[in-house]
Each structure stands twice: as C-alpha cells, then as structure tokens.
Amino acid sequence: MRPMPGKTLYDKIWDAHVVAQDGQDGQDGEAILYIDLHLIHEVTSPQAFAGLRANHRKVRRPDRTLAVADHNIPTEGQGLGVGAVADEEARTQLQMLEANVADAGIKFFPMGDVRNGIVHVVGPEQGRTQPGMTIVCGDSHTSTHGAFGALAHGIGTSEVEHVLATQTLRQTKSRNMRVTIDGAPAPGVGAKDFALAVIGAIGTAGGTGYVIEYAGEAVRALSMEGRMTLCNLTIEGGARAGLVAPDETTYEYLKGRPAAPKGGAWEMALAYWKSFFSDPDAVFDREIRIDAADIAPLVTWGTSPEDVIPVTAGVPSPEAYENPDKRASAERSLDYMGLEAGQPIASAKIDVVFIGSCTNSRIEDLRVAAKIAAKALEAGRKVAPGVRAMVVPGSGLVKAQAEAEGLDEVFRAAGFDWREPGCSMCLAMNPDKLNPGERCASTSNRNFEGRQGRAGRTHLMSPAMAAAAAIAGRIADVRDFL
Amino acid sequence: MQPFTRLDAQIAPLPLANIDTDQIIPKQFLKTVEREGLAKGLFYDLRFDGEGRERPEFVLNRPEYKGAGVLVAGDNFGCGSSREHAPWALMDFGIRCVISTSFADIFNNNCFQNGLLPVVLKPDEVRQLMEEAKGGNHLVTVDLESQTVVSPSGAKFHFEIDPRRKAKMLNGLDAIGETLQAADAIDVYEMKRALAQPWLEDA
Ligand code: SF4
C-alpha cells in the first residue's frame, strides 16, 4: 500500500471540524463543518435573527458568537450613543443588533465601548481568533483571521442564520494553493505590497476555488498585523480564505489577550496549535513563488484590485490588453478614474487620504504612517493644502494605544484628522464618503466604482504610501520620504 | 421553514411574462431589517399608483382574489436581481405557490430556501389555468406528494420536481432544518471538543 500523502494546513483544519459528511453516494461532497467562532455585525445579521424567530429557533452557542457595531457607525461623537446616529436606517440596524444580541445572550461591544471596532480588528485583538479554528462572519474580509492559522471566510445572511442555529456550516472543500514569498523586501515595502503583488500576479479570479496558504521567509518575518493585511486581501484574489501557519510570532501576539487561554490551559492550547502546519510532503494543487526583493511599493490605477502597478510606473494603455473584454474594461476604468494612458501614476493629484479599514488600521499601520508624518514635520511639511486626510483606528483599543504612544499628536500636528474607530470610508455606508470625482489615496481593500462614495476614485496602497501621498498632495513614492 | 404538502387555495392570474424581482419587490423595500412585513412592497408599482393609491384593476386588489394562495404567471418568472426579498414578500402576502412555464434560476433556488413552491407546467396547461382562474370559481389544489395541480374545473396536471427538493419541502426542511437532522452528531462533536479543547468552553 502506498503511504498517504501529507496533509496541508487547510486539510488539517478541515478534518478537525467535520461533524458529518453528506453524499457518501458521491452525489455531492457537502460536509457539515463545526464553527468555532462566529462574528456578527449590524448589517448582515438582522434578517438572520428574524429567520430564527420565525422558525422558533434559538442561537445554539451564544458563547461562541461575538458582536460588534462597525459598518454603519459615524467616526465622531460615538460617546453620544446609538440614539444620536443621524441616519435613521443605520440607527435602526444598530438598535436591532443591540436588541438581538441582548435577547440571545451574545457578547457585544457596543459603539463607544473601547473594545469595539472593526470586526476583523476586534476578534484578534481580544484573543478570540486562535490557530486551528474555523471562523465565519457575514463579511467577505473574514479571511483576515487566517493570519493565525484559522480557516476563516465570509458568509451570506442565510448562512449567518444557519450558523446561529446550528453552530455549523454546510461546505464543500476547496483546493489547496500555496504562495511562497521568499527573500527580504526593500525598505518602504510591506505586507500591503505583498498582497497587491499576489493579486496582480494571479488576478481577481485567480484564487477562485482555492484556499491559499502563504509561506516563505518574507511571510514568516511579518508581524501578526502584516499577516492580517496579507490574509485580508486574499478574498480580492478570489480565494475563499488565506492562511499562515502559526508560529512563535502568533503565540507571542496571543499571550495575555482577554480571551486567550491562561495558565495550564495555555500550555494545552499551545500543544494543540502546534499541530497546525502543512506536512513537508503535502501536495498543493497550485504553487506560486514570488521574491520579496522584486516587489516595489505598489498602487492601483483602475477599478479592480488586480490593476496594480509600481508607483514608479506609468498608467497602462488599454491597447496593451490582448483580450477585448479586458481592453474595454481598462478603457472604462481609465475614464472612470480620470487618468490618461501612459501618465506617471505618481503625477495624479489627490483630494482625500484614508488611513483605516480592516486591511490597515492596526497599531503597526498607524506607527508606520505616523513615522512618515513625523519626518515631514521635521522638514517643516504638513498635509498638502486642499487635501483632506483622515486616520481611523481599527478599534477603540488601537486608538487608545496610539494615543498612549503620542501618535495622535503627530497626526494632528501634521494636519491629519484623527477619528473614532469604525469601517468609515472603506464602504460609504456611514457619513465618511468621497464626493463625486474626488481622488483618494486609500489603505482599504476595494477600489470598485462607487465603493468609497458615488463617483469617487480610489487608489489602494500601503499606510506608508498613503501618508506620503497626504504630504505630497499627489500619489508619491514612499521611498522619497524615508 | 413551513412544510408544503397540499394546498387548497384561490388562484390569481397574472398574465405577464418576465416578471423580474424588481417588479416583485422594488429596491426601496430592501433596507428593512426583517424578512417579515415585506407584503406591503409586493408588486408595489403594479398594485399602487404614483400617489400610493390601490389600482383597483390589479388582480390582487380585486375582492375575488384578495386571499389568493397561488399565483399563475407568464414565462420566466422571477428573473433579474438575486434578492431573497422576492420570495419573502410573496410568502408574507400569503402566496405559497407560483405556477409558470419557467422560473429564473436564482429565484427558483430562493423559493426552495423559503418554502414557496415553484410549479412548472406545460404552456397549454398554464394557459388553461389562467383562463379558468379568470372565471367564477378560483379554487385549486396543489398536491406536492402526488405532484399534481387540480384546476377549478377538475382538470389534473402533473408536474416534475427534483426528488431531494421535494423531500425537503414536504418535511419543511430548509438547510437549517436539514442540518438539524444531524443534531446528535453536532452534540457528540461538541462534547468531544469540550474535552479536547476545554479553553474554548469558558471564553
Ligand atoms: S473595513 Fe471595509 S472591508 Fe473591512 S469589515 Fe469594514 S466594510 Fe468590510
């Protein structure tokens, strides 16, 4: 008998969570997977709770569920409470969440609580997100939590209801892809650039049907914040989830967090977590290799996250695309973005800078951006005249930490607006929006038409690049600011 | 999900083809936080005029069809946007079954998630039902077990349905209901997990 091939990290997490497997007859390979952690927020949960009520069902594991208010909330005046939220529909959704979680006994960090913030910042920060877990949330960027070696992905409202009722999800297994990033990046290049480079390499549908494991020395060298940025953007490459195997960096981050195991339980958990890695003889269905040294600071020029170019490059010409559909969409993108083929991307003047979102609003992101701001201040420079630059911490705790380090002072002195936590301008569902035609240097994750406000123009980039753009008043190469 | 076994109800004729989900429930009704209460938006622009007054000529506004439980409509019912609000609105209005020659795929799936039975009949059968529904007697019987529709005049029509979907409908099993059949397996899994990973129990 041939020995069984090794298992990937994904295979191991999957196998550890199969409650039952359907379709033994080979008709469909759907499995019932146990869900260890369910994160919910105000926008995609109301109908799920209504569905439970209509069917007289209860939340099976309120203790394995955590709720936050993030998508709809304003990023100022949070202390006034939900009743003061001006938008009536947003207020209703927020109040509905409060009522639903109180009714079900689900742990909830309301708006204004220092522990509240963007769902994908809060879970890890609280130590809720742990290696080897299955984690779901009604939000596609749930892939973020894969940074801890947890299988984490977004789900729809019907599935939110399914998880609330059963603490399981019906799933078919994805294929395995490994992205190995070797070498060391140049100064000014970080996790956001890695992520954009991967999407640029595989395309926005390149990961469809796969779970991606990130490996290689450049990934190992990343902090947890950096790994979260990398996994966060995995969904933009079409893959359901991204994974980084846990290691000392992971355990170091988790230790002492409020929901992390303590004492003897910590040792027990650690032993369990250490079993989650891909076996040396595991076979991946697809392998990609990238050298970190080849990655320049990247920026998007179009309306899809795969439209990435080095900041030193010119805007591509639609003519360059062989595929007529691609050519047509490039033309449409250029028109929407108000750019000319061939113009250096670094010449594009900006109106707004947004440093925030679940991609880049953690303490490390704010430190990097504040460093650029501090350097500029030393040189007697500030946010360029006419540019509206906002910094939105990912959670109340990130905000408090940044303030303890004096980062808010630096940002304010340099002319940035220091806001309260939330999704903010990532999705234009709250008061933070682009006006039509405004161009934004953004650390968020989607540059789709209208994503940050109707007719708004988004350029995705790293926090360091966004800070540099704020000072320059145009898209700029962060390496000139180091 | 409510099981669907047999339905004796009034049938209302809607002789239009390509009724899309925007017509079934326009987008101003999508900002709700509930699945219930969507009946008010059902066929809004067909049922009400610009001033919000009922259009008396619209079939569902006519007294003889007010309590209809079955709708018979033209080809390609439910095309357009994927909004699950469309079956929610129909159900909330009291309609449990829609009969047509064909349904848009996503709408069809959404119906089965929600206990609304989409019945596909042949064009001449749909035409006959439509004619009879306009007459004085509007009662039909839809029997899922035997896969038949009995028209007001007593004509019997057979329809096809995927056996798995039929079984789920008959038992009122939505995906959640189906999964809950494995409740014992979930219990066992949780017990094992509580022993192996006790740190997850007190968080
Ligand atoms: S910050 Fe943006 S992407 Fe992240 S959870 Fe909020 S809306 Fe979604």
Side-chain angles (χ1 to χ4, degrees), chain A residues 70-71 118-120 139 141 232 357-359 422-423 426-427 445 451:
Chain A
D70 59 359
H71 284 62
I118 306 172
V119 65
H120 310 310
D139 181 281
H141 291 96
N232 173 278
S357 90
C358 59
T359 312
C423 292
C426 177
L427 86 168
N445 42 52
R451 168 75 178 189

Side-chain angles (χ1 to χ4, degrees), chain A residues 189-344:
Chain A
V189 174
K192 184 68 165 274
D193 303 296
F194 292 3
L196 290 173
V198 172
I199 301 164
I202 68 174
T204 45
T208 305
Y210 290 97
V211 164
I212 296 179
E213 179 175 348
Y214 296 98
E217 49 181 325
V219 174
R220 286 279 140 238
L222 287 175
S223 65
M224 288 317 293
E225 284 87 350
R227 294 178 189 185
M228 283 189 254
T229 300
L230 186 58
C231 288
N232 173 278
L233 283 162
T234 302
I235 184 72
E236 306 309 331
R240 172 176 291 257
L243 290 166
V244 177
D247 59 14
E248 288 309 320
T249 306
T250 321
Y251 312 138
E252 194 52 45
Y253 177 98
L254 275 169
K255 200 157 193 180
R257 304 246 161 208
K262 310 268 174 342
W266 170 264
E267 295 306 322
M268 200 177 174
L270 203 55
Y272 175 73
W273 296 340
K274 286 184 173 171
S275 68
F276 289 98
F277 58 87
S278 287
D279 294 329
D281 58 340
V283 179
F284 287 82
D285 302 292
R286 193 173 169 199
E287 295 256 19
I288 308 271
R289 277 188 178 274
I290 295 176
D291 191 336
D294 294 341
I295 302 174
L298 296 173
V299 49
T300 61
W301 59 268
T303 54
S304 161
E306 71 186 8
D307 298 338
V308 290
I309 47 174
V311 65
T312 47
V315 174
S317 161
E319 254 64 295
Y321 292 91
E322 297 258 323
N323 178 325
D325 293 346
K326 284 241 161 147
R327 202 179 310 140
S329 64
E331 274 163 15
R332 187 186 159 88
S333 289
L334 282 187
D335 184 46
Y336 180 86
M337 294 298 291
L339 296 170
E340 301 284 336
Q343 93 176 73

Side-chain angles (χ1 to χ4, degrees), chain B residues 25-194:
Chain B
I25 179 111
K27 65 172 165 298
Q28 66 266 33
F29 296 98
L30 305 187
K31 288 175 180 167
T32 172
V33 292
E34 300 281 348
R35 277 178 199 179
E36 298 108 41
L38 283 164
K40 65 174 185 295
L42 182 72
F43 296 123
Y44 192 80
D45 296 323
L46 294 170
R47 266 166 70 206
F48 302 100
D49 65 16
E51 266 83 63
R53 286 182 304 243
E54 274 198 8
R55 297 177 192 274
E57 72 284 5
F58 182 65
V59 60
L60 294 174
N61 288 334
R62 285 164 43 192
E64 63 270 36
Y65 296 109
K66 280 245 162 165
V70 181
L71 204 60
V72 54
D75 302 348
N76 195 29
F77 189 86
C79 55
S81 134
S82 66
R83 59 192 66 163
E84 209 167 312
H85 301 70
W88 294 346
L90 286 161
M91 298 271 294
D92 195 46
F93 195 83
I95 290 166
R96 293 294 314 279
C97 172
V98 183
I99 299 173
S100 177
T101 53
S102 60
F103 291 92
D105 189 49
I106 297 174
F107 175 82
N108 196 53
N109 282 332
N110 284 339
C111 284
F112 281 100
Q113 291 278 349
N114 289 282
L116 179 72
L117 184 66
V119 169
V120 176
L121 292 179
K122 296 187 189 74
D124 53 334
E125 294 168 345
V126 169
R127 222 172 296 125
Q128 184 180 339
L129 265 181
M130 200 82 83
E131 283 310 311
E132 290 190 30
K134 291 178 191 158
N137 170 15
H138 312 115
L139 271 185
V140 292
T141 298
V142 181
D143 187 14
L144 180 55
E145 184 62 63
S146 66
Q147 298 176 216
T148 52
V149 176
V150 181
S151 80
S153 70
K156 212 176 202 179
F157 306 128
H158 185 81
F159 61 90
E160 296 299 328
I161 183 168
D162 173 84
R164 285 188 186 204
R165 289 194 145 161
K166 175 179 174 180
K168 286 184 200 176
M169 271 291 207
L170 282 172
N171 296 310
L173 281 183
D174 51 1
I176 297 176
E178 197 185 355
T179 298
L180 286 174
Q181 287 193 319
D184 289 351
I186 302 174
D187 290 343
V188 169
Y189 183 93
E190 275 186 344
M191 276 188 275
K192 281 196 208 152
R193 198 187 76 141

